[in-house]
Amino acid sequence: MRADARDNRARIMTAADEVFGRSPSASTDDVARLAGVGIATVFRHFPTKTELLEAVLTLRLERLRDRALELADSDDPGTAFFGFFTQVVSESASKLAIAEALGAAGSVAGADARQAGSGLREAFDGLLTRAQRAGAVRKDAEFPEVYALLIGASRGATATGLEPDIRDRMLALIYDGLKPRS
């Protein structure tokens, strides 16, 4: 891909991430305007809105996976785990908006997004395991229920539009339940 085409694609992805993260019903015209390109350029890279939404969702999941992998080498596994959990819940509204827009377009996550999601789950499991070994998370908290807490907290915070201070208090309650008993 030529340098200008790579630059256009990156600008389109950045704009789409912002536009669809704010409003699931946004249009590709809105993306083109924010990216500073013509609509034909958007469609040259992403022939349908659905393909663009899938690419943005995949990018979001890959970023979260990569962040979890970065944190896997942290000197403080407990802080890494709880910090990542907080990040996912804090950023959930825009990610869920993108997934919602994809569903509204009559599609489900494609293979790339499913693969990125699988990588994210594996990386999150790694953070959980390290936090448990360090004594920061109770050992009987298994991945399925902890991941369900992450998803539930994310969806709940988004659905009710929690203010940051209320979201943080909710997370403190979850974290208290995940910490080992004295």
Side-chain angles (χ1 to χ4, degrees), residues 59-115:
L59 180 65
R60 285 273 178 119
L61 293 170
E62 288 171 344
R63 283 183 190 151
L64 286 171
R65 177 204 60 210
D66 293 347
R67 180 66 181 142
L69 291 172
E70 286 172 18
L71 290 170
D73 294 328
S74 172
D75 291 337
D76 185 346
T79 299
F81 172 79
F82 291 116
F84 183 74
F85 198 115
T86 300
Q87 178 184 349
V88 171
V89 173
S90 298
E91 295 176 2
S92 65
S94 57
K95 184 178 86 55
L96 291 172
I98 293 165
E100 186 180 303
L102 190 56
S107 185
V108 295
D112 290 342
R114 286 193 308 273
Q115 182 177 359

Side-chain angles (χ1 to χ4, degrees), residues 2-153:
R2 294 183 340 252
D4 61 330
R6 275 193 313 272
D7 182 53
N8 283 343
R9 183 179 177 88
R11 290 193 348 245
I12 292 166
M13 288 293 292
T14 299
D17 187 33
E18 182 177 331
V19 167
F20 294 134
R22 278 189 315 231
S23 172
S25 60
S27 71
T28 49
D29 286 325
D30 297 328
V31 172
R33 262 191 301 285
L34 185 60
V37 299
I39 191 69
T41 301
V42 173
F43 285 123
R44 193 169 22 259
H45 289 276
F46 303 97
T48 66
K49 179 179 179 180
T50 300
E51 288 181 45
L52 179 56
L53 287 165
E54 286 179 6
V56 171
L57 180 60
T58 299
L59 180 65
R60 285 273 178 119
L61 293 170
E62 288 171 344
R63 283 183 190 151
L64 286 171
R65 177 204 60 210
D66 293 347
R67 180 66 181 142
L69 291 172
E70 286 172 18
L71 290 170
D73 294 328
S74 172
D75 291 337
D76 185 346
T79 299
F81 172 79
F82 291 116
F84 183 74
F85 198 115
T86 300
Q87 178 184 349
V88 171
V89 173
S90 298
E91 295 176 2
S92 65
S94 57
K95 184 178 86 55
L96 291 172
I98 293 165
E100 186 180 303
L102 190 56
S107 185
V108 295
D112 290 342
R114 286 193 308 273
Q115 182 177 359
S118 178
L120 170 58
R121 284 187 296 281
E122 288 175 25
F124 181 72
D125 190 22
L127 289 176
L128 172 61
T129 300
R130 288 195 73 235
Q132 288 172 319
R133 287 183 186 143
V137 174
R138 48 194 283 184
K139 297 202 184 300
D140 65 333
E142 296 183 17
F143 174 77
E145 57 262 20
V146 176
Y147 196 71
L149 281 171
L150 177 67
I151 300 302

Side-chain angles (χ1 to χ4, degrees), residues 169-182:
R169 289 195 313 265
M170 173 195 68
L171 288 173
L173 290 170
I174 292 171
Y175 298 164
D176 282 346
L178 287 172
K179 290 180 180 169
R181 304 198 193 283
S182 324

